[in-house]
Amino acid sequence: MRGYFRTFFLIVFYVALCKEILKAKDFASYEVTDGDTIVFIRGKGNRERIRLEGIDAPEMKQPCLTEGKACGELSKSYLKSLTSSDLYCEISGRDKYKRGLGTCFSKGINLNKVMVKQGYAVAYVYYTKIYEEDEREAKRSKKGLWKYGFKNPSQFRKEKKNTVQS
């Protein structure tokens, strides 16, 4: 009987460690929709949205605070420049919108980390502090969007929501 429990728990432990992995080569195409979202496309109407876990990028229409730059567009462009046909994402769960939450890689690079470290996204510390030091470094060095200044994306969304409701 003890052997059955041991086997059962080993199977449960193994399944818990396994993550769903989506690879660009297994799909017809993929699209970078903003600085923290990638969509894998199988065919018409068959799309898998992946939210880069642990980071938050400016909204597409979010402006930078100086020089009239569109921070959301700059963030998206930077993420797009990092992706290639060997793109894959390790999915760890789902968010309330049923998007996959994942860490994505291309050319062996952790895209989530690079987006924060190079200043094109912020660490989403509400959920995890894993990229917090990368954000501090980017901010201190004025990398990426930090050189233009921008509102934290969650603050921007909150203000936009309050303006719409008023």
Side-chain angles (χ1 to χ4, degrees), residues 9-10 13 16 37 40 42 49 70 73 78 87 109 116 119 127 130 132:
F9 284 112
L10 284 174
F13 180 72
T37 308
F40 288 94
R42 279 201 172 94
R49 295 181 72 79
E73 288 287 342
Y78 189 71
L87 172 71
I109 299 168
V116 176
Y127 294 103
I130 191 169
E132 195 172 29

Side-chain angles (χ1 to χ4, degrees), residues 15-40:
V15 169
L17 289 178
C18 290
K19 294 182 179 179
E20 179 183 2
I21 297 178
L22 299 179
K23 295 180 180 180
K25 68 179 185 175
D26 296 336
F27 291 81
S29 63
Y30 69 88
E31 176 183 9
V32 173
T33 59
D34 60 31
D36 56 22
T37 308
I38 297 172
V39 179
F40 288 94

Side-chain angles (χ1 to χ4, degrees), residues 5 54-55 71 73 75 80 94 115 132 136 152 160:
F5 284 120
I55 75 170
C71 276
E73 288 287 342
S75 179
K80 193 172 184 178
R94 301 269 166 196
M115 287 296 290
E132 195 172 29
R136 277 195 290 274
N152 187 295
K160 187 176 174 187

Side-chain angles (χ1 to χ4, degrees), residues 48-52 91-95 98-102:
E48 179 71 36
R49 295 181 72 79
I50 308 303
R51 174 76 163 68
L52 275 64
I91 310 305
S92 63
R94 301 269 166 196
D95 67 8
K98 297 188 171 117
R99 295 177 296 191
L101 293 172

Side-chain angles (χ1 to χ4, degrees), residues 26-137:
D26 296 336
F27 291 81
S29 63
Y30 69 88
E31 176 183 9
V32 173
T33 59
D34 60 31
D36 56 22
T37 308
I38 297 172
V39 179
F40 288 94
I41 304 164
R42 279 201 172 94
K44 194 169 188 163
N46 192 348
R47 303 161 64 89
E48 179 71 36
R49 295 181 72 79
I50 308 303
R51 174 76 163 68
L52 275 64
E53 190 170 27
I55 75 170
D56 196 13
E59 297 299 310
M60 285 304 296
K61 294 186 178 183
Q62 183 175 339
C64 296
L65 299 178
T66 61
E67 298 191 34
K69 302 274 186 193
C71 276
E73 288 287 342
L74 291 171
S75 179
K76 174 185 174 180
S77 292
Y78 189 71
L79 178 57
K80 193 172 184 178
S81 76
L82 296 174
T83 62
S84 65
S85 61
D86 72 341
L87 172 71
Y88 71 95
C89 299
E90 295 178 353
I91 310 305
S92 63
R94 301 269 166 196
D95 67 8
K96 64 183 178 182
Y97 304 108
K98 297 188 171 117
R99 295 177 296 191
L101 293 172
T103 303
C104 297
F105 300 86
S106 187
K107 299 176 190 166
I109 299 168
N110 177 332
L111 302 181
N112 304 41
K113 183 175 183 71
V114 170
M115 287 296 290
V116 176
K117 192 170 187 127
Q118 294 304 316
Y120 289 92
V122 297
Y124 213 162
V125 295
Y126 180 79
Y127 294 103
T128 180
K129 297 188 186 316
I130 191 169
Y131 303 116
E132 195 172 29
E133 181 55 37
D134 297 309
E135 180 183 325
R136 277 195 290 274
E137 179 186 319

